[in-house]
C-alpha cells in the first residue's frame, strides 16, 4: 500500500518516523509530511496554540499539497490525532483513496460526504477525552451514511496518544495490539481491488 501518514498536534516527532518505519518494514511505501515546518512540541497546549495560529485552512492546504503528487497511487490516508482528522478530510475528498487508518482521532464530515465502500479503521482509547462516546456514535453513523466500511477498535485504560512511547499517554500493550490490527488492515484484500 501507499500510505500518507500525518503527524499529531505534537508535530513530526520520532514516534511518527518509527511508525512509518514499521509500515515500511511490512512492505508499504510511506510518506510523512511535516505540516508544522519542523516545529515539534513537548506540551499539547503549545501544539494546539501553534495549530490555531496556523489555521485550519492553511493546515489543510499544506496537507493537500503534500498528498496531491501521490494521489494517482491510490493512497491509504492515515494519521495520529490531529493528523487523523486531516487524513479523514483528504480521504473523503479523494476518489482514488484506497483506505483510511485513523489513530486517536476523527473529524467532522461534510453533509454531502460520499464514498464507495471506503475501508476505514479507527483505533482509539476508551475513554478518550477528545473523542466522547456521544461524538463517536454520531461519527460512526455519519461515516456509514457516507458509504464507508468502518471498524472501531477501543483500548480500555489507554491514554489519548497511546502509541507514542515518548509521551505519558503511552500504553505498550495497546500500542502493539493497534499495530498488529492496523498492519492486517493494510494487508487486506482492498489492495487488490480496483480503485474507487
Amino acid at each position: 500500500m501507499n500510505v500518507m501518514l500525518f503527524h499529531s498536534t505534537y508535530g513530526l516527532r520520532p514516534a511518527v518516523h518509527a511508525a512509518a518505519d514499521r509500515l515500511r518494514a511490512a512492505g508499504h511505501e510511506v510518506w510523512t509530511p511535516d505540516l508544522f515546518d519542523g516545529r515539534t512540541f513537548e506540551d499539547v497546549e503549545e501544539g494546539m496554540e501553534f495549530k490555531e495560529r496556523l489555521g485550519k485552512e492553511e493546515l489543510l492546504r499544506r496537507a493537500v499539497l503534500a498528498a496531491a503528487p501521490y494521489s494517482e497511487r491510490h493512497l491509504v490516508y492515515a494519521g495520529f490525532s490531529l493528523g487523523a482528522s486531516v487524513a479523514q478530510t483528504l480521504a473523503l475528498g479523494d476518489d482514488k483513496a484506497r483506505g483510511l487508518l485513523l489513530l486517536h482521532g476523527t473529524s467532522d464530515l461534510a453533509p454531502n460526504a460520499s464514498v464507495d465502500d471506503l475501508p476505514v479503521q479507527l483505533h482509539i482509547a476508551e475513554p478518550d477525552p477528545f473523542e466522547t462516546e456521544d461524538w463517536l456514535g454520531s461519527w460512526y453513523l455519519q461515516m456509514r451514511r457516507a458509504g464507508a466500511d468502518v471498524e472501531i477498535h477501543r483500548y480500555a485504560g489507554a491514554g489519548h496518544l497511546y502509541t507514542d512511547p515518548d509521551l505519558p499517554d503511552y500504553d505498550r500493550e495497546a500500542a502493539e495490539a493497534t499495530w498488529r490490527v492496523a498492519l492486517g488492515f493494510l494487508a487486506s484484500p482492498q489492495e487488490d481491488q480496483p480503485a474507487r
Side-chain angles (χ1 to χ4, degrees), residues 1 13 16 23 30 32 42-43 47-48 54 63 74 85 88-89 103 118 123 125 129-131 148 158-159 171 185 194:
M1 287 290 192
R13 293 165 51 82
V16 182
L23 297 179
V30 186
T32 55
E42 297 301 317
D43 181 272
M48 290 174 79
L54 193 62
H74 309 291
S85 172
Q88 178 185 306
T89 300
L103 302 161
L118 179 71
H123 296 267
F130 299 101
E131 303 283 332
D171 184 310
F185 173 74

Side-chain angles (χ1 to χ4, degrees), residues 23-127:
L23 297 179
R24 291 182 185 113
H28 306 291
E29 189 158 4
V30 186
W31 296 272
T32 55
D34 186 349
L35 305 181
F36 284 2
D37 292 330
R39 297 282 302 272
T40 60
F41 303 95
E42 297 301 317
D43 181 272
V44 68
E45 284 78 18
E46 289 179 4
M48 290 174 79
E49 285 174 15
F50 180 79
K51 179 200 79 168
E52 292 302 320
R53 288 197 305 273
L54 193 62
K56 184 176 181 179
E57 287 186 12
E58 174 61 16
L59 187 73
L60 286 175
R61 186 190 72 82
R62 293 179 180 196
V64 168
L65 286 174
Y70 306 101
S71 175
E72 293 296 327
R73 301 189 188 198
H74 309 291
L75 295 170
V76 172
Y77 291 91
F80 298 94
S81 193
L82 169 68
S85 172
V86 170
Q88 178 185 306
T89 300
L90 267 61
L92 294 182
D94 181 356
D95 62 6
K96 298 181 184 68
R98 194 56 66 84
L100 174 60
L101 176 62
L102 303 171
L103 302 161
H104 323 296
T106 61
S107 182
D108 296 327
L109 278 73
N112 61 345
S114 177
V115 294
D116 184 12
D117 293 323
L118 179 71
V120 178
Q121 192 175 84
L122 168 64
H123 296 267
I124 200 137
E126 182 179 30

